[in-house]
């Protein structure tokens, strides 16, 4: 029995962007811009259509059987072995695709938001060099990200994981002639390697313990292995996986690369560093929720790290002046929310927030891009102000997104954030409090951004003022669609519908606590988060609209604290001093060892010896062999002039050698028989 | 009529040799009647003769067992060697046709001699006793002596042939003495008979000296130290296609005989000859590799490399196990392929009069004729023993056999020697790919200063040879198991 068309051809979804990337790689340089746009946007559009088709097909199935696996071919197969848990393992990794409610959500986010951002980029990148390169990388990213969310095993997921990391590196360093951009690319790549190393070790440990890395087989292996809740090996494995997640999703302590990643073109920041790639860590944790549930300690770590990152990044967002940096810290903070949700067992809420966040954060970045575009490349909010009349579409859409992220009902962010906070409250009040405070801070810094950029007095330079214009429709239409999604995107969560949809993946366990909370508590919490959001907005209004001198006074009055936060707690400097420079020292030491001992004594020594032997043999050749030949030929010449014509000296010496050899051989045999 | 059936079966068992001789006689007979413009056809006749001989192996394979009362032994072992020898000869003939046209040496005798030599080697590979093997040895030797002198206008060719002849006769005389002594000691010349006699009497000095004397003759043919000394001069002076032949088929055939004499006839006294082989292996490898290091003449360099490879084969030989014998067989197959390929490239690049044999002539070959350079690179890498080539698998099996037999030091020396080999093989590759061609032709300034020497266009027959050799080398490197299985079965049939 073959599955419906869209499910049977699910592997085509990543393939279209790959084809686009390949075309760009081989022919991009020679293609005109319209052709490039058509190919690259078109490939994502076709992917999106196939994703929609697959989603609709899958959703038409009964809820409990909504899972479809398509294995294209076997990729790696190693023999059977006994795992440390006594299971019979058989290591195989297929080129296989898994479609279930979780991957449906992710695929739709990736292709849908990706499509909008691709369209936006056509306008945004119109005047940039390397147009084909940009779209080639973007398509390659789409391929990798789709592999990541569709993979049916951890290793293939890791392939996508590495692929998105590579594309992220390439796109952050897109303006590679700018040193800060290439440095930022390297930083992102190297910091991610640390996380990847953990992830890879986690995969090894899972394979060695459970004997499988296929998602559909892991639950059965967990049952068969009779693991206790909190078994050490599972805790270790999940912690290692989480290390990978902290790298990719920019959590403490590996978040440092994301703010720097803003060096890339703004659509990249929107697609990779806000909507999709950075949520890969959350996706991976949710994908392995069965494992994480078995490791309560890891869950606690995830929750605490998530909450801490949310608060910590939000404080840094308060004082940034670069419009994209504010959004970067906001992204880190929101990712913290998602991990907080995972940590308290609300995996569905985490994915819900991934989705709403993809809408409003992509919108915020694209809006910021539109502002930067209008301002001829200016990113400093202190040089903006009163832009709302000049670029009204951008302003209105960004206002929607800001309200959404601030958690104002009935916008998307309200539902997902409220869901997370409500579920956190049921587990731990302190974590809820941290999340609640962060919500207020979020509202504050987002409205600070909005007020500084669009309201107040214009601080725009004369030149920029001259060029100020609304963006073309290729840019504004995606903004409007995303604005619409930021409004209605959260409604799917009303009445726990979204959670029910994900139930087959994240399990019934998640829904059990739902009834545990009294409706009154729920409404109180809802009210509390709305109030703290409004408070944040009010403070921002007070500081940046009514009394614009106030921020400066506050900054001056608590100078040390302000400088600490403004300089991002000096974490980059601390990392440099503790890790980066020590690594460089180690590298220098190793280099010195390499140059001195390995090259000097080893390689050069061997080279010297070889040359010496060659010299000796050459010397032997010239003096002993040739010499003896010459001497013997002379002797022959002198002593036996008549036979000289018949014999050459060489032949004689050859015979001599053979005779010596024969005598040696016979001598040996005779010696052997004497004894 | 049981007698007639027996005769037929015996004839079938020597079918390849018969066919080769018939074609050889035919060539000599036709030669005066073929106009010089169409002598090329004789080459194709010889080639088809060798193909028919290869085809006749199917008939031979149907009739395993002894022929003519045990003078000839047909088994998997002799089949394997017949395959290598006849294949080599066919390919060498193909590679010669164009060369002889260029040199204006297109004669039927050349091909007839190659076929007679091949018949002799076939006898060597199938011999079941010593006198027959001596006949085979002489038949192949005398033909090759003449072939080495085939460029009779060239002094080097004459020098080469003369040295080959004199030293070869010297060595063969020892071989004959060895036969006599062995007969004196054991009262038989049959390999199995000698083995029986030795296992009853134990090693006697007379028999062991006989073996030593035979080792002189065999060592000369397989080019191992200290009887390798003639090889560079002879290989360098002989016409290059003949060098390709000398370096491959006779050596392979002589190894077949050597295996039979040492493992079948003198198997019971293996502990006696083991150290002689061990020392000879070390000397051979070192003599070949270290002498090749400073060579600038590529043809001579490859001659030294042939010596080195004989040393590697001796490592497997010394292993004294079935795996070792199989490794020798596999190595010989790979060796013949890559050596013929390499010498064919040299034939091509050498051009008319063999004027371009120096390393400097290879500078920039990758730009002039990239496909030729690529083929040569493949053969050199295989000679060097890089993975995915037949040379690598040959070394791999040889060293594995050595390690299994706990002759670790020999394997270590062999491995170190392969490293030394890398220097001179890679130097040629480097020259082809990274050195700019010299503006003027090198030492041969006879024609004045040529500007930017270009090799001649590649003849179709050369292409065929190169493609066969290259594909064979890759096949043995990537899918070695089928050939190795056959080699193992052959080794089993020897015991």
């Amino acid at each position: 029995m073959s599955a419906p068309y869209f499910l049977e051809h699910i592997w085509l979804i990543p393939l279209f962007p790959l084809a686009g990337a390949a075309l760009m790689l081989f022919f991009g340089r020679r293609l005109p811009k319209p052709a490039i746009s058509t190919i690259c946007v078109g490939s994502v559009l076709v992917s999106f259509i196939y994703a929609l088709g697959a989603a609709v097909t899958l959703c038409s199935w009964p809820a409990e059987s909504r899972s479809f696996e398509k294995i294209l071919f076997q990729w790696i197969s190693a023999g059977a072995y006994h795992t440390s848990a006594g299971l019979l393992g058989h290591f195989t990794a297929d080129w296989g695709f898994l479609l279930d409610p979780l991957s449906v959500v992710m695929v739709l986010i990736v292709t849908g938001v990706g499509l909008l951002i691709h369209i936006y980029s056509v306008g945004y990148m119109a005047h940039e060099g390397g147009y084909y390169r940009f779209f080639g990388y973007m398509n390659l990213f789409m391929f990798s990200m789709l592999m990541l969310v569709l993979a049916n095993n951890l290793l293939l997921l890791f392939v996508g994981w590495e692929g998105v990391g590579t594309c992220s590196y390439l796109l952050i360093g897109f303006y590679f002639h700018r040193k800060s951009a290439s440095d930022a690319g390297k930083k992102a790549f190297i910091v991610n390697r640390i996380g990847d190393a953990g992830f890879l070790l986690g995969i090894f440990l899972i394979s060695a313990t459970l004997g499988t890395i296929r998602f559909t087989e892991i639950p059965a292996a967990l049952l068969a292995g009779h693991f206790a809740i909190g078994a050490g090996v599972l805790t270790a494995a999940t912690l290692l996986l989480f290390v990978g997640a902290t790298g990719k999703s920019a959590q403490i302590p590996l978040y440092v690369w994301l703010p720097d990643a803003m060096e890339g073109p703004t659509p990249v920041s929107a697609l990779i560093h806000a909507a999709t790639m950075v949520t890969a860590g959350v996706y991976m944790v949710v994908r392995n929720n069965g494992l994480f549930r078995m490791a309560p300690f890891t869950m606690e770590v995830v929750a605490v790290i998530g909450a801490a990152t949310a608060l910590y990044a939000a404080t840094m967002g308060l004082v940034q002046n670069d419009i994209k940096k504010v959004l970067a810290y906001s992204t880190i903070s929101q990712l913290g929310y998602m991990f907080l949700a995972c940590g308290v067992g609300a995996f569905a809420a985490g994915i819900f927030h991934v989705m709403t966040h993809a809408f409003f954060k992509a919108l915020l970045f694209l809006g910021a891009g539109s502002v930067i575009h209008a301002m001829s490349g200016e990113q400093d909010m202190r040089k903006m102000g009163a832009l709302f009349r000049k670029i009204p579409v951008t302003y209105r859409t960004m206002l929607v997104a800001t309200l959404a992220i601030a958690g104002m009902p009935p916008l998307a962010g309200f539902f997902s954030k409220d869901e997370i906070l409500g579920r956190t409250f049921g587990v731990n009040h302190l974590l809820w409090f941290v999340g609640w405070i962060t919500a207020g801070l979020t509202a504050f810094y987002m409205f600070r951004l909005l007020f500084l950029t669009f309201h107040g007095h214009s601080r725009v330079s004369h030149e920029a003022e001259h060029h100020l214009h609304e963006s073309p429709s290729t840019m504004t239409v995606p903004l409007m669609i995303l604005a619409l999604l930021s409004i209605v995107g959260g409604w799917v969560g009303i009445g726990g519908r979204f959670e029910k949809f994900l139930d087959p993946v994240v399990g019934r366990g998640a829904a059990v606590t739902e009834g545990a909370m009294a409706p009154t508590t729920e409404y109180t919490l809802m009210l509390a988060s709305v109030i703290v959001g409004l408070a944040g907005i009010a403070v921002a209004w007070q500081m940046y609209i009514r009394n614009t001198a106030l921020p400066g006074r506050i900054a001056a009055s608590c100078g040390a604290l302000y400088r600490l936060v403004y300089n991002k707690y000096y974490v980059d400097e601390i990392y440099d001093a503790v890790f980066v420079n020590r690594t460089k020292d180690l590298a220098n030491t190793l280099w010195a060892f390499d140059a001195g001992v390995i090259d000097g004594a080893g390689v050069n020594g061997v080279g010297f010896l070889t040359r010496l032997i060659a010299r000796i043999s050459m010397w032997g050749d010239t003096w002993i062999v040739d010499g003896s030949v010459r001497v013997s030929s002379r002797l022959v010449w002198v002593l036996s002039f008549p036979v000289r014509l018949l014999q050459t000296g060489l032949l004689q010496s050859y015979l001599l050698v053979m005779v010596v050899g024969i005598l040696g051989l016979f001598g040996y045999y005779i010696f052997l028989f004497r004894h | 009529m049981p007698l007639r059936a027996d005769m037929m079966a015996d004839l079938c068992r020597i079918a390849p040799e018969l066919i080769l001789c018939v074609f050889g006689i035919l060539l000599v007979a036709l030669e005066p009647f073929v106009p010089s413009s169409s002598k090329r056809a004789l080459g194709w006749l010889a080639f088809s003769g060798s193909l028919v001989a290869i085809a006749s192996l199917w008939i031979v394979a149907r009739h395993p067992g002894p022929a003519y009362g045990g003078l000839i032994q047909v088994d998997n072992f002799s089949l394997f060697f017949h395959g290598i020898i006849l294949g080599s000869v066919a390919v060498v003939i193909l590679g010669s046709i164009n060369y002889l046209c260029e040199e204006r040496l297109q004669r039927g005798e050349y091909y007839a001699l190659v076929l007679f030599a091949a018949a002799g080697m076939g006898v060597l590979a199938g011999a079941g006793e010593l006198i027959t093997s001596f006949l085979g040895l002489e038949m192949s030797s005398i033909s090759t002596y003449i072939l080495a002198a085939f460029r009779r206008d060239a002094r080097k060719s004459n020098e080469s042939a003369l040295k080959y002849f004199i030293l070869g006769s010297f060595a063969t005389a020892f071989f004959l003495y060895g036969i006599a002594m062995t007969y004196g000691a054991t009262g038989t010349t049959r390999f199995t008979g000698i083995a029986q006699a030795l296992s009853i009497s134990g090693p006697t000095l007379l028999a062991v000296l006989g073996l030593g004397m035979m080792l002189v003759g065999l060592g000369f043919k397989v080019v191992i130290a200290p009887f390798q000394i003639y090889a560079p001069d002879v290989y360098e002076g002989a016409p290059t296609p003949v060098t390709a032949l000398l370096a491959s088929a006779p050596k392979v055939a002589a190894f077949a005989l050597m295996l039979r004499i040492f493992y079948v006839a003198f198997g019971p006294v293996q502990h006696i000859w083991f150290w002689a082989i061990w020392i000879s292996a070390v000397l051979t490898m070192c003599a070949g590799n270290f002498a090749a290091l400073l060579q600038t003449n590529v043809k001579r360099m490859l001659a030294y490399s042939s010596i080195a490879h004989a040393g590697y084969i001796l490592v497997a030989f010394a292993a004294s196990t079935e795996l070792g014998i199989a490794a020798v067989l596999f190595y010989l197959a790979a060796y013949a392929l890559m050596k013929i390929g390499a010498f064919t490239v040299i034939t091509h690049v050498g051009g008319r009069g063999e004027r371009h044999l120096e390393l400097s002539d290879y500078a920039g070959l990758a730009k002039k004729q990239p496909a030729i350079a690529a083929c040569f690179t493949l053969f050199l890498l295989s000679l060097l023993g890089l993975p995915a080539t037949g040379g690598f698998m040959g070394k791999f099996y040889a060293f594995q056999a050595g390690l299994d037999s706990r002759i670790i030091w020999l394997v270590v020396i062999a491995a170190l020697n392969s490293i030394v080999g890398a220097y001179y093989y890679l130097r040629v590759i480097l020259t082809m790919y990274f050195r700019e061609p010299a503006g003027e032709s090198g030492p041969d300034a006879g024609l004045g200063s040529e500007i930017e020497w270009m090799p001649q266009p590649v003849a179709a027959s050369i292409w065929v040879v190169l493609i066969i050799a290259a594909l064979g080398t890759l096949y043995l490197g990537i899918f070695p198991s089928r050939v190795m299985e056959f080699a193992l079965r052959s080794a089993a049939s020897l015991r």
Side-chain angles (χ1 to χ4, degrees):
Chain A
M1 190 197 83
S2 78
Y5 176 81
F6 281 114
L7 294 184
E8 195 58 37
H9 293 82
I10 185 175
W11 50 277
L12 284 172
I13 298 177
L15 211 66
F16 291 121
L18 181 65
L23 281 174
M24 287 309 110
L25 173 67
F26 292 114
F27 310 110
R29 193 185 283 272
R30 268 165 271 160
L31 290 175
K33 277 187 180 177
I36 294 170
S37 327
T38 314
I39 292 170
C40 292
V41 177
S43 69
V44 181
L45 176 66
V46 179
S47 273
F48 179 60
I49 292 168
Y50 269 74
L52 264 184
V56 169
T57 317
L58 195 81
C59 292
S60 67
W61 290 3
E64 59 277 10
S65 62
R66 277 180 197 156
S67 176
F68 176 77
E69 224 175 346
K70 167 78 185 170
I71 290 168
L72 270 193
F73 54 86
Q74 191 170 62
W75 177 31
I76 299 171
S77 174
Y81 58 98
H82 283 280
T83 69
S84 57
L87 297 170
L88 183 68
H90 188 87
F91 184 90
T92 49
D94 300 320
W95 211 258
F97 300 86
L98 172 65
L99 197 72
D100 59 7
L102 176 59
S103 41
V104 160
V105 171
M106 291 305 289
V107 165
L108 285 180
I109 294 172
V110 171
T111 53
V113 176
L115 176 63
L116 291 174
I117 294 172
H118 270 74
I119 295 170
Y120 174 93
S121 306
V122 173
Y124 189 84
M125 298 300 287
H127 310 298
E128 302 282 347
Y131 194 69
Y132 76 96
R133 194 158 57 89
F134 177 84
F135 275 102
Y137 292 162
M138 289 286 270
N139 267 11
L140 189 61
F141 169 80
M142 292 298 288
F143 161 75
S144 310
M145 190 69 205
L146 288 166
M147 286 310 298
L148 196 161
V149 295
L150 283 172
N152 80 333
N153 63 66
L154 276 167
L155 204 63
L156 193 60
L157 189 154
F158 189 71
V159 171
W161 185 274
E162 290 297 291
V164 293
T166 310
C167 295
S168 161
Y169 162 77
L170 291 169
L171 282 164
I172 294 169
F174 183 75
Y175 302 115
F176 55 85
H177 44 82
R178 211 162 61 201
K179 188 173 183 304
S180 58
S182 65
D183 281 353
K186 272 188 276 182
K187 185 172 178 181
F189 197 71
I190 292 166
V191 172
N192 265 296
R193 303 306 309 159
I194 301 168
D196 294 350
F199 188 13
L200 207 50
L201 290 175
I203 297 176
F204 295 159
L205 193 53
I206 288 169
S207 169
T209 312
L210 299 177
T212 179
I213 53 167
R214 201 164 138 189
F215 297 131
T216 45
E217 286 171 356
I218 285 176
L222 278 174
L223 277 179
H226 302 292
F227 293 97
I229 298 272
V233 63
L234 293 181
T235 306
T238 47
L239 277 176
L240 285 168
L241 290 186
F242 183 61
V243 170
T246 58
K248 191 67 68 196
S249 295
Q251 297 296 293
I252 292 173
L254 298 180
Y255 69 91
V256 288
W257 63 271
L258 189 57
D260 290 29
M262 295 302 127
E263 288 285 348
T266 309
V268 172
S269 310
L271 177 62
I272 301 183
H273 305 119
T276 55
M277 184 189 84
V278 288
T279 61
V282 184
Y283 167 76
M284 190 260 280
V285 170
V286 177
R287 179 50 85 198
N288 294 299
N289 67 79
L291 282 166
F292 277 84
R293 273 185 217 288
M294 301 285 285
F297 176 71
T298 312
M299 294 286 273
E300 277 169 37
V301 171
V302 173
V304 169
I305 293 271
T309 309
L311 178 64
Y312 174 77
T315 59
M316 288 188 282
L318 298 176
V319 293
Q320 297 300 317
N321 292 320
D322 184 316
I323 186 166
K324 283 180 76 181
K325 285 274 164 74
V326 176
L327 294 176
Y329 284 108
S330 154
T331 304
I332 300 175
S333 173
Q334 297 298 312
L335 288 165
Y337 269 121
M338 299 171 203
F339 280 107
L340 175 60
C342 294
V344 298
F347 294 103
I351 290 296
F352 190 24
H353 200 55
V354 165
M355 183 176 83
T356 58
H357 175 254
F359 297 150
F360 59 69
K361 189 50 71 61
L363 175 52
L364 282 168
F365 265 112
L366 295 185
S370 182
V371 169
I372 295 164
H373 193 73
M375 295 287 299
S376 313
E378 184 57 62
Q379 301 195 6
D380 193 335
M381 292 188 295
R382 287 170 297 190
K383 293 179 184 157
M384 297 179 187
L387 292 179
F388 71 100
R389 272 198 204 87
K390 301 280 171 52
I391 43 175
V393 181
T394 307
Y395 169 65
R396 279 181 219 134
T397 50
M398 272 194 89
L399 179 63
V400 170
T402 311
L403 285 168
I405 194 174
M408 291 300 113
L411 281 79
F414 166 76
F415 294 99
S416 54
K417 194 182 282 186
D418 189 63
E419 182 76 30
I420 292 171
L421 287 178
R423 296 291 298 277
T424 309
F425 189 78
V427 174
N428 186 314
H429 292 338
L430 180 64
L431 287 176
W432 170 84
F433 183 70
V434 171
W436 182 75
I437 289 286
T438 306
L441 295 176
T442 307
F444 170 78
Y445 68 68
M446 284 314 300
F447 271 87
R448 169 175 174 269
L449 180 150
L450 197 76
F451 292 149
L452 277 177
T453 309
F454 292 101
H455 294 272
H457 305 292
S458 173
R459 299 174 298 280
V460 183
S461 69
H462 188 67
E463 277 167 73
E465 183 94 55
H466 189 68
H467 297 292
L468 210 53
H469 61 284
E470 181 59 282
S471 301
S473 57
T474 48
M475 290 166 68
T476 49
V477 171
L479 290 181
M480 289 187 275
I481 297 173
L482 282 169
L484 182 69
L485 286 171
S486 300
I487 296 169
V488 304
W491 297 353
V492 298
I494 296 172
R497 271 185 295 166
F498 189 80
E499 211 157 310
K500 278 208 193 71
F501 179 65
L502 283 184
D503 261 351
V505 184
V506 299
R508 272 281 141 196
V512 173
T513 47
E514 196 178 33
M517 211 183 325
T520 46
T521 328
E522 211 179 324
Y523 290 130
T524 318
L525 287 175
M526 232 180 250
L527 195 65
S529 45
V530 172
I531 286 169
V532 80
L534 285 173
I537 296 171
V539 174
W541 185 73
Q542 177 72 20
M543 280 174 72
Y544 295 97
I545 299 288
R546 263 191 67 188
N547 190 354
T548 46
L550 195 58
R553 280 219 303 280
I554 295 173
S557 66
C558 45
L561 185 65
Y562 177 78
R563 271 200 304 282
L564 181 68
V565 180
Y566 183 75
N567 287 308
K568 300 167 270 183
Y569 300 93
Y570 296 101
V571 166
D572 275 328
E573 284 75 6
I574 294 168
Y575 279 8
D576 272 352
V578 177
F579 299 111
V580 179
N581 290 336
R582 294 296 78 74
T583 311
K584 281 183 185 165
D585 289 348
L586 180 68
N588 276 328
T589 316
L590 288 176
W591 171 78
F593 179 78
D594 194 48
V597 180
I598 308 270
D599 282 2
V603 178
N604 290 346
V606 170
F608 176 77
L609 269 179
T610 311
R611 270 171 52 194
L612 192 70
I613 293 170
R615 281 275 162 77
I616 291 169
S617 79
M618 187 175 78
W619 184 86
D621 208 43
T622 9
W623 292 105
I624 298 179
V625 179
D626 286 6
S628 67
V629 168
R630 233 173 281 139
V631 165
S632 62
S633 75
R634 272 295 148 80
L635 273 175
V636 170
W637 190 78
V638 172
L639 293 176
S640 52
F641 185 73
V643 279
R644 190 172 66 94
L645 291 172
L646 291 174
Q647 289 171 325
T648 71
L650 275 166
L651 198 59
Q652 275 196 336
S653 69
Y654 288 176
L655 282 169
L656 199 69
V657 171
M658 284 175 70
V659 167
V660 168
I662 292 161
L663 290 179
L665 190 65
F666 285 9
Y668 166 69
Y669 282 145
I670 291 167
F671 171 82
L672 209 67
F673 272 85
R674 281 284 157 81
H675 297 85
Chain B
M1 308 282 275
L3 195 67
R4 269 188 65 88
D6 269 10
M7 262 183 73
M8 275 310 292
D10 282 356
L11 284 175
C12 287
R13 285 177 188 128
I14 59 163
E17 286 78 21
L18 287 178
I19 289 163
L20 289 170
C21 288
V22 166
F23 270 87
I25 292 164
L26 200 63
L27 281 164
V28 178
L30 282 177
E31 153 69 21
F33 305 108
V34 179
S36 58
S37 57
S38 52
K39 297 257 190 212
R40 187 180 265 269
L42 293 173
W44 293 106
L45 181 64
F47 179 62
S48 40
S50 58
L51 288 187
V52 174
I54 292 173
S56 73
L57 287 179
W58 296 113
I59 303 171
V60 180
R62 296 267 185 80
H63 298 88
Y68 299 106
L71 299 187
I72 295 282
Q73 181 71 29
V74 172
D75 48 20
N76 276 334
F77 181 80
S78 73
L79 274 175
F80 191 96
F81 275 100
H82 270 93
I84 305 179
I85 293 164
L86 295 175
S88 304
V89 165
V91 174
V92 165
I93 290 173
L94 204 55
S96 304
I97 295 174
N98 192 58
Y99 174 86
L100 294 178
C101 280
E102 287 283 324
E103 300 288 323
R104 303 182 198 293
L105 288 170
Q106 197 68 268
R107 299 247 159 63
E109 296 95 307
Y110 176 91
Y111 302 110
L113 285 167
V114 173
L115 293 187
F116 288 142
M121 295 172 214
V123 173
L124 267 186
E129 58 99 44
L130 288 168
I131 300 296
T132 314
S133 64
F134 182 72
L135 284 179
L137 194 67
E138 282 297 80
M139 203 168 158
S140 69
S141 297
I142 291 168
S143 306
T144 47
Y145 297 155
I146 306 171
L147 282 172
F150 214 76
R151 282 174 70 207
R152 57 186 175 197
D153 299 333
R155 288 179 59 189
K156 275 204 158 180
S157 180
N158 284 320
E159 179 196 336
S160 150
L162 198 63
K163 283 178 183 165
Y164 194 25
F165 171 62
I166 292 171
L167 296 168
S169 308
F170 183 70
T172 313
F174 272 93
F175 187 70
L176 200 54
Y177 276 129
I179 294 176
M181 291 173 97
T182 309
Y183 181 70
T186 60
T188 177
T189 56
R190 296 270 158 88
F191 295 147
T192 45
I194 295 168
Q196 272 174 2
L198 281 177
S199 53
I200 293 164
S201 68
T204 61
L205 183 58
L206 196 59
V208 169
L209 283 183
L211 178 68
M213 291 202 166
M214 285 194 282
L215 180 59
V216 176
L218 291 169
F220 182 85
K221 275 281 152 191
V222 300
V223 200
I224 56 173
F227 314 112
Q228 96 297 358
I229 194 94
Y230 74 97
D233 285 15
V234 173
Y235 282 21
E236 189 191 348
T240 315
V242 175
T243 310
L245 180 73
L246 288 181
S248 56
K251 209 160 155 173
V252 172
F255 258 115
L257 179 61
M258 193 165 158
L259 282 168
R260 281 210 202 264
I261 291 180
F262 278 68
Y263 276 99
V264 180
F266 287 84
V269 294
Q270 187 255 329
H271 57 282
I272 302 272
W273 54 256
F274 171 76
W275 282 105
I277 296 293
W278 197 98
I279 292 166
S280 179
V282 174
L283 289 177
T284 310
M285 288 186 283
C286 293
N289 279 319
F290 282 97
L293 275 181
L294 292 166
Q295 280 306 321
T296 56
N297 182 311
V298 179
K299 196 173 169 187
R300 197 173 170 86
M301 187 207 87
L302 280 182
Y304 282 117
S305 127
S306 294
I307 297 172
H309 280 277
Y312 301 139
I313 295 171
L314 281 190
V315 173
F317 197 101
S320 327
T321 56
E322 221 153 78
L323 179 65
I325 299 171
V328 171
L329 265 57
F330 186 93
Y331 203 116
L332 284 170
Y335 167 82
L337 274 171
M338 58 202 187
K339 215 67 199 196
I340 290 175
F343 276 118
T344 305
V345 172
I346 290 177
T347 308
H348 164 70
V349 176
R352 180 170 297 164
E354 299 201 4
R355 281 184 294 121
H356 300 287
L357 299 175
E358 287 295 315
L359 189 60
S360 54
D361 293 324
Y362 286 78
L365 187 65
K367 283 199 191 108
K368 293 172 183 166
Q369 293 190 333
I372 292 287
C375 284
F376 202 28
T377 303
L378 174 68
F379 301 134
L380 289 171
L381 291 180
S382 181
L383 287 166
L384 162 58
L386 224 67
T389 62
F392 170 76
M393 288 316 298
K395 275 210 183 84
F396 176 78
Y397 289 132
F399 293 178
Q400 195 189 13
L403 290 178
D404 283 356
S405 303
R406 301 259 171 269
I407 44 174
I408 290 159
W409 279 108
L410 191 57
V411 174
V412 169
I413 293 169
L416 288 176
N417 260 290
S418 333
I419 299 170
V420 174
Y423 173 76
Y424 56 87
Y425 293 127
L426 292 179
R427 194 175 53 173
V428 178
I429 297 174
L430 215 67
T431 308
M432 287 196 294
Y433 281 89
F434 297 112
R435 280 252 313 273
E436 288 300 317
E440 297 173 355
S441 81
D444 277 299
L447 290 166
S449 55
E450 277 176 66
I451 307 295
E452 187 69 31
W453 161 76
M454 280 296 287
Q456 58 202 337
V458 190
S461 55
I462 297 278
W463 268 135
V464 176
V465 174
L466 289 181
I467 289 170
I468 292 172
L471 288 182
T473 303
L474 285 175
Y475 177 79
L476 289 180
I478 300 168
F479 308 106
S481 50
R482 285 192 66 174
V483 176
M484 190 58 190
E485 271 167 30
F486 189 37
L488 278 167
R489 262 185 286 141
S490 306
S493 77
L494 185 63
R495 279 271 154 109

